[in-house]
Amino acid sequence: MTAAILLWSVTAAQTMLVGAMGCSAYRLIRGPRAQDRVLCLDAMYVSAMLLILTIGIRSGNSLYFEAALIISVLGFASSIALAKFLMRGEVIE
Amino acid sequence: MSRVLPYPLLTAALLLMWLLLTSFSVGQFLLGTVVAMGASRAMAALQPAKPRIRRWQPIPKLLGMVMLDILRSNFAVASLVIRRNRPDRVSGFVIIPIELRDRTGLAILSCIVTSTPGTAWVEYAPDSGVLLLHVLDLVDEAEWVSLIKNHYEAPLMEIFE
Amino acid sequence: MSHAENLPAWAALLTSALVLIGAGLTLLGAIGTLRFRSFFERVHAPTLGTSWGTGSILLASIICFTVLESRPVVQEILIGVFISVTTPVTLMLLARAALYRDRTEGHGDVPPRSVLRRPPTS
């Protein structure tokens, strides 16, 4: 019984996280400005990381943790690089 | 002490991270100690400014208060999202003059303020010590100033200055 | 999902509640990025997912694996520390980039740099 509750709530959580990624992706495509897109890319990789963690809970395999850690490290580096690019990339100094 | 272990806190944190990522055993402990000491020696070559913690007592209280404030503002912002945008909700910039000058303290203050939903650190002028903050639900400006000053700035000044 | 039968009832219920809370907060934050009107309002939205959204899913994972493997599994704390240190850095850098771009393009109603020069008259 409780196993079924856990299965259903993890499924619901995964649906919600995919929905969160969808909302971020919509804002990423719509814009309106470059800083909004970078912000949503940042939000999207956090949701992807959480999705991997819930897959780990679902499968009972703690190896998914490593994948989540790598996603969070690489996501941070990429959003910092993009934010730095916004500071210096477009504007003529 | 300072020759062998230039950054004791960093070394301890690296060792803890090594043990968490591998497993808690004597062999991993020894290997992790070697790696952490090598890394902190490499860090010493970069010569970063060394943060100095003067008092340890206010740290748990500050940590608990930050957790509670973040939880509270999580629910505040979540309810703002659920109820469609109230037409009378104003968001805006708040200007706060702060006395905290320690660089580590300022870095921690900025992390606290930004990771709290509802407030975001926008700009800080080191010469005048004036901070520009963006607040999502700006009802009373003086309330936000006193929140930042009493909840976060006072304990941080106690810790670092 | 065969491992779920090995979980005692309290751990399964706690894990499911925490997972739902975390995913719900993350979803609300993402909806917030759609609903808020300006960039500086949207900056606040993702922090919902990165503060307690991440925190409660990590807590659920800690509880699940600690009970399953009957030894303390706390490596998830590393992700929590990492996310809570790095997200403010990204958001601050983005806010400063947006401020800089708005000021140089004369776009939006951002305060000018001169507000920081003098302490405001109180």
Side-chain angles (χ1 to χ4, degrees), chain B residues 124-143:
Chain B
Y124 171 72
D127 47 347
S128 58
V130 177
L131 164 66
L132 186 64
L133 212 67
H134 190 268
V135 177
L136 184 60
D137 194 6
L138 187 63
V139 180
D140 182 13
E141 205 169 308
E143 198 181 308

Side-chain angles (χ1 to χ4, degrees), chain B residues 74 81 91 122-123 128 134, chain C residues 35 41 44 48 52 113 116:
Chain B
N74 255 308
V81 174
S91 68
V122 178
E123 200 175 20
S128 58
H134 190 268
Chain C
R35 284 212 177 147
E41 290 186 8
H44 300 290
L48 274 181
W52 277 103
R113 172 107 185 113
L116 298 177

